[in-house]
Amino acid sequence: MTSPKVAPHLLVGVGGGIAAYKICDVISTQVKAGWSVSAILSETAAHFVTPLTLSTLCRRSVLTDADFWHPQAPRPLHIELAETATLLLIAPLTANTLAKLAYGLADTLLTSTVLASNMPILVAPAMNTRMWEQPTVQAHWQQLQQQPRYHCLPPTHGRLACDSVGMGRMAETSEIIAYLDSLAHTHGQRDLSGKHLLITAGGTREYLDAVRFIGNPATGKMGLALARAAVHRGARVTLVHGILSEPVPPQVTAIAAETSEQLQAAVMQVWPTADWLVMAAAVGDVRPATQYAGKLPKAQLPTALPLATIPDILTMAAQGRQPHQRLIGFAAQTGDIEPAARAKLAHKGLDLMVANAVDQPGCGFGTQENAALVLGSDGRSHRLARMPKLILAHHIFDLAQAWLT
């Protein structure tokens, strides 16, 4: 897979619900990123967000069912949309539209376009908790997930517009945007389907006492991007994480591990059931040789700090690996990154090493973008220029799929 050279044409179907206002941020973000965006506004959605608002953001007229039945169109509108759009987002997805999609009904412009197209469809439901929990709604949701072209972002838990607290909030717009970016890269393919990926992220803290520790500036952004990309490609993901600067993506099983010892224990527990281990966490190399209970008074702080070496988790995982398991390591380096990365690749018994230069502007810890040198155990190498970390994650998985399977 490669990223598309032509900007995607996104068609947004806006359902009738208070969450409709959130779709404005999605449209605005993708238009600014160079995407072409069209929108279909349902009759009920127009009560929550106006056609003028969406047409201004899309830079083109918003479509409604009135346009669907217009007699002067040169071609059937739903056919035209199905042939020109490359991605379809339906958000908020209402219980009514969910039922129509599950049963293949086509009585509106939106549902007719769905049936006339083969494009990937991302859906993000939003509704009252009792509505969401109805057995019929859940059955329709399960039906939709069985169809490969549908990519489903489940609602989240929180306070709803009706003041109740529970499941039903539409997924955050940042998650919707990230999923759209993934679909633009993968074209909806789920090439990691059936695989269980164990991914680590974030930095560890090695405590001297209750409040002081040895740490690093890792924020977990790269590991989170890898987890997000893997889920979008169909994988089952377990994320063992240290300190993170962002929430864990939906549909990811998360295990928190603040210290290297905790992270090691979690990894070794999950690893026997995983297919790939992607070690993106910035695990400490050393810890204080002595850990003190409580907070040491400043006057009692040691003037010299004896250190103990932390065992290498990847090396431990490699020693007990099964034939089908694959190991991918990450190396944060400065200067000439290749020699040290190649040495680590061989010494740790890895299949793939991803090296990045943390001393380069705009790359490394805490940044939104990254660049990398990917090295294979068979001697192959590939340089990835600076790009958003989510897209970099997809390129890494592209190479892993090509080189390791």
Side-chain angles (χ1 to χ4, degrees), residues 350-362:
L350 308 183
D351 298 291
L352 216 66
M353 174 60 82
V354 182
N356 63 292
V358 295
D359 57 349
Q360 295 301 308

PDB file of all heavy atoms in Angstrom, residues 350-362:
ATOM      1  N   LEU A 350      16.037  -9.282  16.400  1.00  0.00           N
ATOM      2  CA  LEU A 350      14.776  -8.720  15.921  1.00  0.00           C
ATOM      3  C   LEU A 350      14.573  -9.012  14.437  1.00  0.00           C
ATOM      4  O   LEU A 350      15.504  -9.333  13.705  1.00  0.00           O
ATOM      5  CB  LEU A 350      14.767  -7.200  16.148  1.00  0.00           C
ATOM      6  CG  LEU A 350      15.101  -6.700  17.547  1.00  0.00           C
ATOM      7  CD1 LEU A 350      14.977  -5.187  17.607  1.00  0.00           C
ATOM      8  CD2 LEU A 350      14.199  -7.354  18.580  1.00  0.00           C
ATOM      9  N   ASP A 351      13.333  -8.853  14.004  1.00  0.00           N
ATOM     10  CA  ASP A 351      13.003  -8.973  12.589  1.00  0.00           C
ATOM     11  C   ASP A 351      13.074  -7.625  11.885  1.00  0.00           C
ATOM     12  O   ASP A 351      13.373  -7.558  10.689  1.00  0.00           O
ATOM     13  CB  ASP A 351      11.586  -9.542  12.421  1.00  0.00           C
ATOM     14  CG  ASP A 351      11.461 -10.930  13.010  1.00  0.00           C
ATOM     15  OD1 ASP A 351      12.053 -11.861  12.446  1.00  0.00           O
ATOM     16  OD2 ASP A 351      10.788 -11.068  14.045  1.00  0.00           O
ATOM     17  N   LEU A 352      12.795  -6.566  12.640  1.00  0.00           N
ATOM     18  CA  LEU A 352      12.739  -5.219  12.065  1.00  0.00           C
ATOM     19  C   LEU A 352      13.188  -4.228  13.124  1.00  0.00           C
ATOM     20  O   LEU A 352      12.832  -4.375  14.305  1.00  0.00           O
ATOM     21  CB  LEU A 352      11.303  -4.900  11.635  1.00  0.00           C
ATOM     22  CG  LEU A 352      11.070  -4.057  10.371  1.00  0.00           C
ATOM     23  CD1 LEU A 352      11.532  -4.828   9.142  1.00  0.00           C
ATOM     24  CD2 LEU A 352       9.582  -3.750  10.239  1.00  0.00           C
ATOM     25  N   MET A 353      13.962  -3.243  12.723  1.00  0.00           N
ATOM     26  CA  MET A 353      14.352  -2.157  13.617  1.00  0.00           C
ATOM     27  C   MET A 353      13.970  -0.832  12.975  1.00  0.00           C
ATOM     28  O   MET A 353      14.260  -0.598  11.790  1.00  0.00           O
ATOM     29  CB  MET A 353      15.854  -2.178  13.889  1.00  0.00           C
ATOM     30  CG  MET A 353      16.367  -0.994  14.700  1.00  0.00           C
ATOM     31  SD  MET A 353      15.607  -0.878  16.346  1.00  0.00           S
ATOM     32  CE  MET A 353      16.611  -2.063  17.256  1.00  0.00           C
ATOM     33  N   VAL A 354      13.303   0.017  13.741  1.00  0.00           N
ATOM     34  CA  VAL A 354      12.913   1.345  13.285  1.00  0.00           C
ATOM     35  C   VAL A 354      13.736   2.352  14.075  1.00  0.00           C
ATOM     36  O   VAL A 354      13.570   2.474  15.291  1.00  0.00           O
ATOM     37  CB  VAL A 354      11.415   1.605  13.493  1.00  0.00           C
ATOM     38  CG1 VAL A 354      11.036   2.985  12.967  1.00  0.00           C
ATOM     39  CG2 VAL A 354      10.583   0.519  12.809  1.00  0.00           C
ATOM     40  N   ALA A 355      14.632   3.030  13.395  1.00  0.00           N
ATOM     41  CA  ALA A 355      15.502   4.002  14.057  1.00  0.00           C
ATOM     42  C   ALA A 355      15.052   5.414  13.706  1.00  0.00           C
ATOM     43  O   ALA A 355      14.730   5.693  12.544  1.00  0.00           O
ATOM     44  CB  ALA A 355      16.954   3.803  13.632  1.00  0.00           C
ATOM     45  N   ASN A 356      15.023   6.280  14.696  1.00  0.00           N
ATOM     46  CA  ASN A 356      14.695   7.681  14.423  1.00  0.00           C
ATOM     47  C   ASN A 356      15.682   8.590  15.139  1.00  0.00           C
ATOM     48  O   ASN A 356      16.158   8.285  16.245  1.00  0.00           O
ATOM     49  CB  ASN A 356      13.257   8.017  14.814  1.00  0.00           C
ATOM     50  CG  ASN A 356      12.990   7.873  16.296  1.00  0.00           C
ATOM     51  OD1 ASN A 356      12.998   6.769  16.827  1.00  0.00           O
ATOM     52  ND2 ASN A 356      12.761   8.987  16.962  1.00  0.00           N
ATOM     53  N   ALA A 357      15.978   9.701  14.482  1.00  0.00           N
ATOM     54  CA  ALA A 357      16.958  10.661  15.006  1.00  0.00           C
ATOM     55  C   ALA A 357      16.247  11.686  15.871  1.00  0.00           C
ATOM     56  O   ALA A 357      15.556  12.564  15.356  1.00  0.00           O
ATOM     57  CB  ALA A 357      17.690  11.344  13.852  1.00  0.00           C
ATOM     58  N   VAL A 358      16.418  11.574  17.173  1.00  0.00           N
ATOM     59  CA  VAL A 358      15.712  12.478  18.082  1.00  0.00           C
ATOM     60  C   VAL A 358      16.366  13.849  18.157  1.00  0.00           C
ATOM     61  O   VAL A 358      15.815  14.764  18.790  1.00  0.00           O
ATOM     62  CB  VAL A 358      15.611  11.867  19.498  1.00  0.00           C
ATOM     63  CG1 VAL A 358      14.747  10.619  19.474  1.00  0.00           C
ATOM     64  CG2 VAL A 358      16.993  11.554  20.068  1.00  0.00           C
ATOM     65  N   ASP A 359      17.519  14.017  17.509  1.00  0.00           N
ATOM     66  CA  ASP A 359      18.173  15.319  17.505  1.00  0.00           C
ATOM     67  C   ASP A 359      17.859  16.131  16.258  1.00  0.00           C
ATOM     68  O   ASP A 359      18.417  17.209  16.055  1.00  0.00           O
ATOM     69  CB  ASP A 359      19.689  15.163  17.664  1.00  0.00           C
ATOM     70  CG  ASP A 359      20.318  14.286  16.580  1.00  0.00           C
ATOM     71  OD1 ASP A 359      19.556  13.639  15.827  1.00  0.00           O
ATOM     72  OD2 ASP A 359      21.557  14.247  16.501  1.00  0.00           O
ATOM     73  N   GLN A 360      16.955  15.639  15.410  1.00  0.00           N
ATOM     74  CA  GLN A 360      16.558  16.373  14.211  1.00  0.00           C
ATOM     75  C   GLN A 360      15.332  17.237  14.495  1.00  0.00           C
ATOM     76  O   GLN A 360      14.428  16.812  15.218  1.00  0.00           O
ATOM     77  CB  GLN A 360      16.256  15.404  13.067  1.00  0.00           C
ATOM     78  CG  GLN A 360      17.462  14.617  12.598  1.00  0.00           C
ATOM     79  CD  GLN A 360      18.585  15.522  12.113  1.00  0.00           C
ATOM     80  OE1 GLN A 360      18.363  16.400  11.274  1.00  0.00           O
ATOM     81  NE2 GLN A 360      19.780  15.314  12.648  1.00  0.00           N
ATOM     82  N   PRO A 361      15.260  18.452  13.942  1.00  0.00           N
ATOM     83  CA  PRO A 361      14.110  19.330  14.203  1.00  0.00           C
ATOM     84  C   PRO A 361      12.802  18.683  13.767  1.00  0.00           C
ATOM     85  O   PRO A 361      12.714  18.084  12.692  1.00  0.00           O
ATOM     86  CB  PRO A 361      14.420  20.575  13.342  1.00  0.00           C
ATOM     87  CG  PRO A 361      15.897  20.535  13.108  1.00  0.00           C
ATOM     88  CD  PRO A 361      16.274  19.091  13.074  1.00  0.00           C
ATOM     89  N   GLY A 362      11.784  18.797  14.619  1.00  0.00           N
ATOM     90  CA  GLY A 362      10.460  18.290  14.288  1.00  0.00           C
ATOM     91  C   GLY A 362      10.296  16.802  14.401  1.00  0.00           C
ATOM     92  O   GLY A 362       9.245  16.256  14.040  1.00  0.00           O
TER      93      GLY A 362
END
